[in-house]
Amino acid sequence: MEGSDIGLWGVPLAILAGAIRVSTPFIFVSLGEMLTERSGRINLGLEGTLVFGAMAAYGTAVLTGSPWLGVLAAMVGGAAFGLVHGFICKFPKVNDIAIGIAMMQFGLGLAFFLGKPFIQPSAPKLPSISFGAWSSYPQVQAALNINILFLIGIMLALFLSWALRNTRIGLVLRVVGDSSDAARAMGISPDLVRLAATTAGGALAAIGGAYLSLFYPGSWNEGISSGQGLMAVALVIFARWNPLGCLAASMLFGGAGALGPALQSVGITSGYYLFYAAPYVLTLIIMIATSSPTRSLTGAPGALSLTK
């Protein structure tokens, strides 16, 4: 590959590298929200869970010197947030949306309060694998320097896609998500299943936060999230509650988020900042395109409600 070819492929390579980096938190948050919604519940509190997970992971990594213990701490914190959300929402006439917003604000506030001592210290980063060692060009090496959590996210999406169709747990989750009455008739407790799904969803969302603080951008501060937790709801709708769809949609959102930095990296110095809004514009387009008062969304769980 000649130097002129690298220049020609500079933007696509930068977008590819950016899409992989930016999509990783989307993968985990969207898979977590997908599990929650497949049980018939919506969780808008994942933005707070994501940020708290980032703080917990970074703080634990600073104190222990282990980024993987940081990821584990984030999962425990995220599961706790999901457990609280699921427990409160099981009561009659509780609004999922209101509880989600309250949990989001609580998570953000708690993360900012507990995370102040960790703004300055440096934490060890999560490892990555270089798939570009065969190339002598830094652009190719950077594009193919892939974090392990991205690979785990791909395998998790594949596993969940298989598990939802071929395991008893997947069947139970789908039955509860489609009809609470049918689940009760089969001797299944919808509240217990939704509690477990919301807890698992919170743990997965927190892994996305750990990625943000321990790899990209690789620091802890109060502005670490760009709304990935909230955009995950639109992403799950776009993916039609399908794990592999969540993976593909995450890559699409990641590519959209990488447009601005990619243009900047190849020397475009004016107007590139407008492309930083691409993920938010894409979210609005998806929400508008999928909104209809007369038809239901394909793949939507039958018991999914905003006011349950």
Side-chain angles (χ1 to χ4, degrees):
M1 188 180 293
E2 300 295 334
S4 58
D5 293 332
I6 282 290
L8 179 64
W9 289 96
V11 172
L13 282 173
I15 292 177
L16 172 63
I20 292 173
R21 288 195 300 266
V22 177
S23 68
T24 303
F26 279 120
I27 292 173
F28 285 99
V29 179
S30 65
L31 288 176
E33 180 65 15
M34 183 275 303
L35 280 178
T36 302
E37 294 191 15
R38 287 297 292 259
S39 73
R41 176 167 290 152
I42 188 169
N43 185 359
L44 287 186
L46 291 186
E47 176 71 8
T49 304
L50 178 85
V51 174
F52 186 85
M55 183 281 300
Y58 196 84
T60 302
V62 168
L63 295 174
T64 65
S66 170
W68 292 113
L69 285 178
V71 174
L72 180 61
M75 292 180 66
V76 172
F81 273 82
L83 185 66
V84 172
H85 183 280
F87 178 77
I88 296 174
C89 289
K90 75 174 186 176
F91 293 106
K93 299 184 179 179
V94 171
N95 189 298
D96 288 3
I97 300 297
I99 298 302
I101 294 174
M103 291 298 297
M104 176 178 67
Q105 295 300 321
F106 176 68
L108 292 173
L110 190 61
F112 298 160
F113 176 74
L114 297 178
K116 287 187 181 297
F118 302 111
I119 293 178
Q120 294 297 329
S122 177
K125 290 194 173 184
L126 288 165
S128 59
I129 300 175
S130 177
F131 291 96
W134 53 270
S135 175
S136 60
Y137 293 98
Q139 296 93 328
V140 175
Q141 293 175 2
L144 297 179
N145 187 42
I146 298 176
N147 183 264
I148 292 178
L149 282 183
F150 176 75
L151 302 176
I152 293 175
I154 293 176
M155 291 186 290
L156 180 62
L158 292 170
F159 171 75
L160 289 176
S161 178
W162 171 82
L164 285 173
R165 297 193 310 267
N166 299 286
T167 66
R168 174 175 171 77
I169 294 176
L171 173 62
V172 168
L173 186 68
R174 289 187 288 117
V175 169
V176 170
D178 285 334
S179 173
S180 298
D181 292 336
R184 292 189 185 96
M186 296 173 61
I188 301 169
S189 170
D191 288 339
L192 186 59
V193 172
R194 287 171 182 150
L195 183 66
T198 308
T199 302
L204 291 180
I207 296 177
Y211 174 88
L212 289 175
S213 61
L214 295 179
F215 187 76
Y216 182 78
S219 62
W220 160 248
N221 59 77
E222 295 181 357
I224 192 169
S225 174
S226 301
Q228 288 97 328
L230 289 172
M231 284 189 283
V233 177
L235 195 153
V236 171
I237 296 173
F238 179 62
R240 292 299 187 265
W241 295 270
N242 184 300
L244 295 181
C246 288
L247 176 63
S250 295
M251 290 296 295
L252 176 63
F253 272 59
L259 280 175
L263 294 175
Q264 188 180 12
S265 69
V266 296
I268 298 177
T269 57
S270 61
Y272 68 88
Y273 51 86
L274 294 175
F275 289 93
Y276 280 91
Y280 309 101
V281 174
L282 186 59
T283 300
L284 287 174
I285 292 174
I286 289 172
M287 295 304 290
I288 293 171
T290 56
S291 297
S292 173
T294 58
R295 59 182 174 85
S296 60
L297 290 172
T298 304
L304 185 64
S305 170
L306 302 183
T307 56
K308 188 168 52 276

